[in-house]
Amino acid sequence: MYRIAERKKQDPGLRWNLPDRVFFACGGCHILAYAFFEKYGDADAEALWIKPATGITGNHIIVSGGSWAFDYHGYSSADRLLAHIEQKANRWWPGWRATLVPLPRDVLISEAKSRSYDGLWLREPTQFLHNTLPRAHAYLSRFPAPPQLE
């Protein structure tokens, strides 16, 4: 989990020029998840929104395959990744807590559909400085195929 200055979040050029790992941690995680499903559509996995409690910041979207999870870190144990996210978030926002909300894949690239979830507002791939899907696919290619479910 990363935190970036608000001016970088709001400036399309500064946001686009973030390193890939930071870009897909801070605002592009849902696009990376969608690219994952485009590449591995038959993977037995789901998109999960890590939804912070009301009044708390720190959203994130991951792909969960049950025992494993995928995000900008790559693959890890789902439990280990969630514990890491909670630990880091509590460092910056004491008392941080969240729930897991399964999301349909099409919500990941639709601003309108994402806004139908209370507290969620996702940018579409073309709402960044450039279309984000090619960048997400290039980043995804650094990682192997998903692990088999146990």
Side-chain angles (χ1 to χ4, degrees):
M1 183 174 261
Y2 291 91
R3 279 179 30 179
I4 58 173
E6 194 60 34
R7 70 178 179 79
K8 285 186 179 181
K9 260 189 158 172
Q10 300 308 319
D11 182 298
L14 292 175
R15 176 180 274 212
W16 186 261
N17 288 319
L18 290 169
D20 286 341
R21 186 174 168 100
V22 179
F23 181 85
F24 291 113
C26 298
C29 56
H30 61 291
I31 306 295
L32 183 60
Y34 188 81
F36 179 95
F37 291 121
E38 281 192 321
K39 185 169 184 175
Y40 304 113
D42 59 345
D44 188 14
E46 65 180 338
L48 291 178
W49 172 27
I50 301 171
K51 179 184 180 184
T54 304
I56 300 176
T57 192
N59 288 283
H60 191 46
I61 293 178
I62 64 171
V63 175
S64 173
S67 61
W68 59 267
F70 177 83
D71 76 346
Y72 67 92
H73 294 99
Y75 295 97
S76 62
S77 148
D79 291 340
R80 173 180 263 165
L81 177 61
L82 294 172
H84 169 74
I85 290 168
E86 183 176 5
Q87 178 187 29
K88 287 285 275 219
N90 268 289
R91 220 184 281 166
W92 293 314
W93 306 291
W96 185 91
R97 61 197 180 288
T99 57
L100 299 177
V101 179
L103 295 175
R105 295 174 183 184
D106 61 339
V107 167
L108 301 174
I109 57 164
S110 171
E111 177 184 1
K113 290 179 182 179
S114 75
R115 294 196 66 175
S116 69
Y117 290 79
D118 184 39
L120 187 62
W121 186 355
L122 301 175
R123 292 174 190 249
E124 296 181 12
T126 57
Q127 291 176 321
F128 292 84
L129 183 60
H130 304 287
N131 184 338
T132 314
L133 275 171
R135 183 175 180 176
H137 280 288
Y139 187 71
L140 181 62
S141 72
R142 300 176 188 176
F143 303 98
Q148 295 298 317
L149 291 177
E150 297 175 1

